Amino acid sequence: MNIKKINRVGFSPTGTTKTVLESIASGMDSKASTFIDMTLPTHDEAICFGSEDVVIIGAPVYAGRLPVHAVERFRKLKGEHTPVVIVVVYGNREFEDALLELKHLVIEQGFVPVSGAAFIGEHSFSTVEFPVAQGRPDSSDIACAKAFGEAVARKIATLESLVGVEIDVPGNFPYKNGMPANSVAPVSMAPCTLCGVCASVCPTGAIEVGDDVVTEASLCIRCCACVRSCPHEVRVIEDEAWKAIGVRLHTNCATPKMPQLFC
Ligand SMILES: Cc1cc2nc3c(=O)[nH]c(=O)nc-3n(C[C@H](O)[C@H](O)[C@H](O)COP(=O)(O)O)c2cc1C
Ligand code: SF4
Ligand code: SF4
């Protein structure tokens, strides 16, 4: 099979998944690939792919599952027996059922998974004081992702057709429970300039900036995109229980994990 066009599709509030997808694509073909960013609620129409496309699709792991908004948005994708590389990026704890969930989802949407991978990204809750997987994906993750992309391209090139192509990935079905309902969100402290950057990166539209910054906590998925992107570093997590999770992850997930590849 010939690769005619490489498409990257991702949900990536803090950017680590996006980086991994770019690195895999660069290994598959040094020519430019297209990125369809589904992090923000901007895609209303179905996005269709043909049998001459290859899609590399990725999302972070939230509570061992895919983020619900990633699932919702990926349901807009329609494959036509289109080969797909499935990727999850997790914060050095575990990826549990997320890769299996992604495999099932893409098959339901008309794609054929040819390879899969779980990479490590700096945990969304990581802070300077309590880092978790700090700096991941690092240069060795990037090299691994690129080599994985090269291996995937070789595999696709040797396939006559996709009939009978299957991959095994870890995970259980029924899946574990995902994120529980949320009632807390980051807050904006003085001297907030009301610049609106936090609202512009929020994947769920939870933030409104007018005379003040108002956050609808029930919409917050705790992705930390607003915290990371605030140019004045005044968007912060105040909730003690949330901060305690970060401290626990720092202690319990200190040993670096390695990417896992499923070709
Ligand atoms: C709400 C939430 C839940 C998470 N759950 C997990 C998890 O179960 N296991 C894990 O290792 N990392 C977990 N993470 C960390 C992310 O998977 C990780 O930081 C990932 O690199 C973020 O991807 P992004 O940069 O593309 O947003 C979680 C992050 C968030 C925000
Ligand atoms: S990004 Fe920071 S400074 Fe700008 S509105 Fe949000 S909290 Fe305020
Ligand atoms: S308000 Fe919540 S969902 Fe929106 S960017 Fe901030 S952490 Fe993410």
Side-chain angles (χ1 to χ4, degrees), residues 123-140:
H123 202 291
S124 320
F125 299 172
S126 173
T127 60
V128 174
E129 198 183 354
F130 297 107
V132 187
Q134 191 179 31
R136 307 284 298 270
D138 58 19
S139 55
S140 103

Side-chain angles (χ1 to χ4, degrees), residues 141-173:
D141 295 315
I142 301 289
C144 176
K146 201 169 171 204
F148 172 64
E150 287 164 3
V152 171
R154 280 195 300 276
K155 177 176 180 179
I156 293 174
T158 58
L159 290 172
E160 292 283 325
S161 82
L162 292 176
V163 176
V165 171
E166 272 186 39
I167 54 163
D168 272 334
V169 299
N172 293 304
F173 184 81

Side-chain angles (χ1 to χ4, degrees), residues 60-82:
V61 175
Y62 283 7
R65 297 281 305 276
L66 296 177
V68 288
H69 291 77
V71 172
E72 210 174 81
R73 285 163 204 179
F74 290 169
R75 292 251 177 245
K76 305 247 165 64
L77 307 172
K78 303 282 176 226
E80 200 183 292
H81 219 56
T82 307

Side-chain angles (χ1 to χ4, degrees), residues 116-262:
F119 279 85
I120 294 87
E122 179 158 351
H123 202 291
S124 320
F125 299 172
S126 173
T127 60
V128 174
E129 198 183 354
F130 297 107
V132 187
Q134 191 179 31
R136 307 284 298 270
D138 58 19
S139 55
S140 103
D141 295 315
I142 301 289
C144 176
K146 201 169 171 204
F148 172 64
E150 287 164 3
V152 171
R154 280 195 300 276
K155 177 176 180 179
I156 293 174
T158 58
L159 290 172
E160 292 283 325
S161 82
L162 292 176
V163 176
V165 171
E166 272 186 39
I167 54 163
D168 272 334
V169 299
N172 293 304
F173 184 81
Y175 314 124
K176 72 185 287 277
N177 289 333
M179 292 288 294
N182 186 37
S183 57
V184 288
V187 292
S188 302
M189 311 287 281
C192 168
T193 60
L194 303 176
C195 69
V197 170
C198 52
S200 73
V201 299
C202 178
T204 65
I207 307 171
E208 270 189 34
V209 181
D211 295 338
D212 207 348
V213 180
V214 178
T215 308
E216 175 51 59
S218 65
L219 294 179
C220 177
I221 55 170
R222 301 193 179 206
C223 71
C224 297
C226 56
V227 175
R228 295 282 174 87
S229 66
C230 174
H232 304 290
E233 299 182 1
V234 294
R235 183 86 180 159
V236 295
I237 295 163
E238 289 248 288
D239 182 71
E240 291 303 328
W242 187 348
K243 285 199 274 191
I245 296 172
V247 176
R248 272 205 305 279
L249 290 166
H250 168 75
T251 308
N252 298 339
C253 307
T255 306
K257 298 198 172 176
M258 291 301 122
Q260 291 185 50
L261 312 176
F262 309 94

Side-chain angles (χ1 to χ4, degrees), residues 12-17 60-61 63-64 89-91 93-94 122-124 222:
S12 184
T14 59
T16 60
T17 306
V61 175
V89 179
Y90 69 107
R93 191 186 68 77
E94 297 290 345
E122 179 158 351
H123 202 291
S124 320
R222 301 193 179 206

